[in-house]
Amino acid sequence: MSAATAPLFPAVAAAVTALLGLLAVFLAVRVIRNRVRFGVDAGDGGHAELGQAIRAHANLVEHVPLALLLLALAESAGTHRGAIAGLGIALLAARAASAWGLSRSLGPGLARQAGAGLTLLVTALASLLILYRLLPMP
């Protein structure tokens, strides 16, 4: 599909965004509940459980916006929706694994490392797909 016939609305990326939005809300609610529970307005107050909840939410907020923007741009540029769906599923799995891993421990762990690595892979692949779509085709 050429850029001229690419979809105007990146529906697959939008669906992934909506699902990750729900994960962000879930993680934010966990932070809020822990803040109320421990009576902490800022920082983690020395409570490891609150610190883990804050880190899990912050990690999602740090990495997801760029990945989602790249998925949406790649889809809008005409990348096959199946490829976008595959990358979106990988991103969802990566962020769920990372949130789970960070919720259990702030130290290294397989879920956290797999989530980080897979997120970086999705980000790199989406970037490369955009650059590929921008190359002039003979």
Side-chain angles (χ1 to χ4, degrees), residues 22-124:
L22 293 174
L23 178 58
V25 168
F26 171 78
L27 294 173
V29 167
R30 285 187 50 227
V31 171
I32 293 165
R33 289 181 66 205
N34 278 300
R35 286 195 182 286
V36 170
R37 177 177 159 205
F38 294 118
V40 175
D41 291 330
D44 64 14
H47 300 279
E49 190 175 345
L50 176 55
Q52 288 172 302
I54 292 168
R55 195 64 218 127
H57 181 256
N59 191 269
L60 180 94
V61 172
E62 289 168 0
H63 295 281
V64 164
L66 178 60
L68 289 173
L69 176 62
L70 291 167
L71 286 179
L73 290 172
E75 185 175 354
S76 294
T79 300
H80 190 276
R81 286 187 168 185
I84 300 300
L87 289 173
I89 290 167
L91 183 61
L92 287 164
R95 294 292 80 210
S98 182
W100 185 78
L102 282 166
S103 296
R104 298 180 53 83
S105 169
L106 291 177
L110 182 60
R112 183 177 177 191
Q113 292 169 343
L118 190 53
T119 299
L120 292 176
L121 180 61
V122 168
T123 301

Side-chain angles (χ1 to χ4, degrees), residues 5-18:
T5 61
L8 295 178
F9 180 74
V12 177
V16 172
T17 302

